[in-house]
Amino acid sequence: MNTTEWHTTDERTADERTADDYLERARQAGLVAEVRGHRYVADRYDDPFTDRRQILVEYCDPGLPADAAALGALRDQLREHHATAEAVLLRVTGGAALPAPWRPRLTYICHEPSAGTTPSHTRPAVSVRPATPDDDALVHDWLVQAFRNAYPGQEVDAHHSGIEAVVANPGRLSFIAQVAGVPIGHGTVLADERDEVTGEAFAELVDILIDDAEHRREATSALVDAAARATAGRRLCGHVVHPHEPGQARQADVVLQTLLSADWSVDHAFWESTW
């Protein structure tokens, strides 16, 4: 969508202006529709890693996810207008869970460090440093592994455009976790992202991957801290991919619940339903 500038004076909050402006741009693009009194914005979206034809509902009015009849009508309406698509992805704000046949596909979480956390006085085994260009090959390999983990059963090419885009992103900041000077994993954050719907600037923690199981918890915590310090002033967000395979899906849920019990909270999630 093309950005449209508005020069009006009104008493709306910044969030209300952002939402209204987003909906106006979507309306001009012919992407706004309505189901049972709820507006939504939908367009075709082909998954870049699975090539599945999907319809992405990037925005819906807040009441739609809680309206079971509207959810069913939404699926029927989208299927009627997009017969070649295999599934629909619906963006849901907050941690609301949708009923079957909907299932979580991607959950975005935001880092909210606890106030008054007492620093440890033990000598850490893990140290973290900013990555250098000499680390690019290592970072690339860890990203490849991360995307393959997120899409089990898919032949994710090592030079997939989605991976190359992360590596080449001008806002990329990568950090190397090491033990006794030996790299054991990385954390990579994209510092200059912007939410298409809300307009909010944020930093996205694209991946943390640790090869060393013994030091995984300590290294993960240290990498999150490094990313938060490096992007201070804007929200630090991450995501959890929910694979379709039952075993991997359960593991993803364990990871998500562990993060939510620490310093993370759900911002929004994409729920998927096939026809």
Side-chain angles (χ1 to χ4, degrees):
M1 299 179 194
N2 295 323
T3 301
T4 302
E5 293 186 0
W6 296 86
H7 301 282
T8 59
T9 301
D10 57 36
E11 296 181 353
R12 295 175 297 165
T13 67
D15 287 345
E16 289 171 335
R17 288 194 297 272
T18 298
D20 288 348
D21 292 351
Y22 167 81
L23 285 168
E24 177 59 21
R25 296 195 303 272
R27 185 193 63 77
Q28 292 179 7
L31 301 177
V32 178
E34 187 174 305
V35 61
R36 296 182 66 88
H38 303 289
R39 295 170 301 176
Y40 66 90
V41 176
D43 199 6
R44 176 172 164 173
Y45 172 76
D46 293 349
D47 189 299
F49 288 94
T50 67
D51 293 325
R52 296 181 74 207
R53 292 185 175 184
Q54 302 174 119
I55 301 303
L56 172 63
V57 181
E58 190 176 49
Y59 167 88
C60 68
D61 282 342
L64 195 157
D67 186 336
L71 285 173
L74 174 68
R75 292 176 69 249
D76 293 342
Q77 190 166 297
L78 291 174
R79 185 177 187 180
E80 179 182 352
H81 290 92
H82 303 278
T84 61
E86 300 176 51
V88 55
L89 288 173
L90 173 64
R91 173 172 168 151
V92 177
T93 301
L98 300 192
W102 296 90
R103 59 185 177 184
R105 185 60 175 148
L106 185 67
T107 301
Y108 275 87
I109 54 178
C110 288
H111 188 236
E112 299 177 346
S114 303
T117 301
T118 304
S120 171
H121 295 290
T122 60
R123 182 177 179 83
V126 176
S127 62
V128 170
R129 61 173 175 80
T132 70
D134 290 340
D135 298 308
D136 281 354
L138 272 175
V139 170
H140 179 272
D141 289 347
W142 279 317
L143 286 169
V144 170
Q145 186 59 54
F147 278 96
R148 288 176 176 171
N149 291 345
Y151 295 91
Q154 298 295 319
E155 296 294 331
V156 178
D157 186 86
H159 298 288
H160 190 285
S161 60
I163 299 171
E164 297 300 315
V166 173
V167 174
N169 190 299
R172 175 173 68 90
L173 301 172
S174 292
F175 302 91
I176 305 298
Q178 52 190 24
V179 173
V182 178
I184 62 167
H186 85 122
T188 290
V189 60
L190 303 182
D192 299 314
E193 301 302 285
R194 188 170 294 277
D195 190 301
E196 176 70 16
V197 176
T198 68
E200 180 185 24
F202 69 99
E204 181 172 2
L205 187 55
V206 175
D207 181 47
I208 287 180
L209 195 148
I210 308 298
D211 292 330
D212 186 331
E214 178 184 353
H215 297 100
R216 184 165 293 138
R217 183 183 296 272
E218 182 183 351
T220 298
S221 178
L223 287 166
V224 169
D225 288 345
R229 288 194 301 270
T231 59
R234 62 180 55 192
R235 288 211 297 172
L236 177 64
C237 298
H239 63 269
V240 174
V241 178
H242 302 270
H244 292 151
E245 292 73 9
Q248 288 91 335
R250 286 192 294 271
Q251 181 59 36
D253 188 61
V254 168
V255 170
L256 177 60
Q257 295 308 316
T258 299
L259 291 168
L260 296 181
S261 68
D263 293 335
W264 298 84
S265 62
V266 174
D267 183 77
H268 64 276
F270 290 93
W271 288 73
E272 178 186 60
S273 175
T274 56
W275 306 134

